[in-house]
Amino acid sequence: MIESDLSKIRQINQIDEAKVQVGEEVRFFVEETAKIEVGERLRIGREASIFGDDVFQDTGRSSIIKMDSESKLLVKGTFDFYYGSDVYIFKNGILELGNSSFINSDCVIRCADKITIGDNCAISHYFKVLDSDFHSINGVKKTSPVRIGNHVWIGTNVIVLKGVTIGDGCVIGAGSVVTKDIPPKSLACGNPAKVIKEDIEWA
């Protein structure tokens, strides 16, 4: 795959320049038949700022966005990827990102089917999410969509695997590996992640 020019990506997808803000070290590898839709604003390669959310600071840390043919990146409103992001949307895959959500530094996303992240989510460093095994065992390769609901807080070093739904209002503790659905308003942690408290509220 040949590295893509951001201005050409904006032109093909009819995206205003202000809607996609990137750091200097963000690299795009996007097939021409891939589709990017941005509601209000997508920022990639940003750094947390003491000056507030409206300040974009380039860190010089590289981020990579890869999109195969017929894949889609859909941003509902505003979404931020911090520095060190590594995102790959495979052929026909759909990555859908909610409004007023962010993923902190050094995330890894591998999307072969569909991954949805809801509104008002706070996702910490070294987050990983995969919706496929990407290899077959006894001739079977398993792929299944992942859905992260609204107002979900995910701690550092969390891994979310194929077929998982994390309900609205959940908190996932640091270092957890999520292999099964987590009901709304639950606190879950561990490997594999298990619910340890129900009916929680976080802010």
Side-chain angles (χ1 to χ4, degrees), residues 65-137:
I65 308 295
K66 291 184 178 181
M67 297 181 65
D68 285 345
S69 60
E70 309 302 329
S71 62
K72 293 181 181 179
L73 172 58
L74 310 175
V75 182
K76 183 177 177 182
T78 63
F79 195 96
D80 290 352
F81 285 104
Y82 286 62
Y83 58 82
S85 300
D86 181 355
V87 178
Y88 197 159
I89 310 173
F90 291 81
K91 184 177 181 179
N92 296 317
I94 302 172
L95 177 58
E96 187 172 331
L97 306 173
N99 184 40
S100 297
S101 293
F102 71 87
I103 302 178
N104 215 313
S105 64
D106 300 291
C107 74
V108 174
I109 295 176
R110 296 291 182 267
C111 179
D113 186 350
K114 186 174 184 180
I115 296 173
T116 303
I117 297 175
D119 300 340
N120 303 303
C121 290
I123 301 177
S124 192
H125 310 76
Y126 306 110
F127 168 73
K128 296 178 177 65
V129 56
L130 306 90
D131 65 1
S132 176
D133 289 337
F134 293 102
H135 296 276
S136 60
I137 298 176

Side-chain angles (χ1 to χ4, degrees), residues 148-165:
I148 297 171
N150 299 319
H151 191 56
V152 172
W153 174 17
I154 295 179
T156 188
N157 272 311
V158 168
I159 301 173
V160 178
L161 298 179
K162 66 182 185 301
V164 164
T165 294

